[in-house]
Amino acid sequence: MDLTLTREDRDAAGCSPDAAGEAEEARGESFDRAAGARRAARGSVVLIADMAREFGVSERALRLYEDKGLLRPARRGRTRLYGARERRDLAMILKGKRLGFTLAEIADMLSSSGAAAPGADLALPPERIVAQIGFLERQRRDLDAAILALRQTHLRLLESARCAATA
């Protein structure tokens, strides 16, 4: 399968020739990893491989977010084209995930934020923030208890092995 965008495709999408980094890699050509960041700074359109590299996620994750309606990249045939809005939305998705929200909750937050200005935060009412803090604190207590139980089990096993070796 040829992943190369034609000059007309790149021009129509507002891509520079280096936006076809996905095709360059498929052909075994070197790819400048900083190119995605430079394109982002210019606000240009990038392909799925560039977007994945730029945000440190897999292409599969980007497709999942699209399937769930969280991202809506433009399409040129089967090629996904990610612009400034998709970058902003992906940053918000990843922030929501770091904060422990489900994809369904993140979808609600994204729809609530609507066409918010670039740099806008997730649409979170104060009571939702407090509830999430409580949820994460309960998770931390559960994790701390699990870690303690594992450490105690490990110490018992070491002690048993030591006793068996001296007997």
Side-chain angles (χ1 to χ4, degrees):
M1 168 171 53
D2 185 14
L3 299 176
T4 307
L5 290 176
T6 65
R7 180 179 303 277
E8 295 83 354
D9 287 341
R10 285 193 302 270
D11 292 343
C15 294
S16 61
D18 66 344
E22 185 176 79
E24 291 171 2
E25 283 193 332
R27 292 189 309 264
E29 298 173 10
S30 65
F31 179 77
D32 179 3
R33 293 190 183 272
R38 288 193 302 272
R39 284 190 298 277
R42 290 192 311 258
S44 64
V45 176
V46 297
L47 301 177
I48 192 168
D50 299 326
M51 186 78 156
R53 242 188 316 277
E54 186 178 327
F55 284 90
V57 298
S58 68
E59 292 177 28
R60 184 176 181 184
L62 293 175
R63 289 185 202 100
L64 171 72
Y65 300 150
E66 183 180 356
D67 290 344
K68 299 285 185 185
L70 299 170
L71 289 176
R72 290 171 214 79
R75 293 286 193 128
R76 173 68 89 194
R78 292 183 55 188
T79 304
R80 291 168 173 87
L81 303 170
Y82 296 87
R85 180 181 177 93
E86 289 77 30
R87 278 189 189 87
R88 187 206 71 202
D89 288 349
L90 182 56
M92 292 174 74
I93 292 165
L94 297 176
K95 182 175 184 175
K97 284 186 60 178
R98 277 192 308 276
L99 295 174
F101 292 102
T102 67
L103 292 181
E105 291 169 323
I106 293 168
D108 289 341
M109 290 179 234
L110 283 173
S111 65
S112 296
S113 68
D121 221 343
L122 289 169
L124 289 170
E127 60 276 0
R128 184 67 185 111
I129 293 170
V130 170
Q132 188 66 12
I133 289 169
F135 173 75
L136 293 173
E137 286 175 340
R138 284 188 301 280
Q139 275 190 326
R140 182 173 50 193
R141 280 193 302 273
D142 292 345
L143 286 171
D144 288 342
I147 290 168
L148 179 61
L150 286 170
R151 284 187 176 143
Q152 291 171 342
T153 301
H154 183 246
L155 288 175
R156 279 194 305 275
L157 290 171
L158 289 176
E159 185 62 33
S160 295
R162 207 172 311 144
C163 289
T166 58

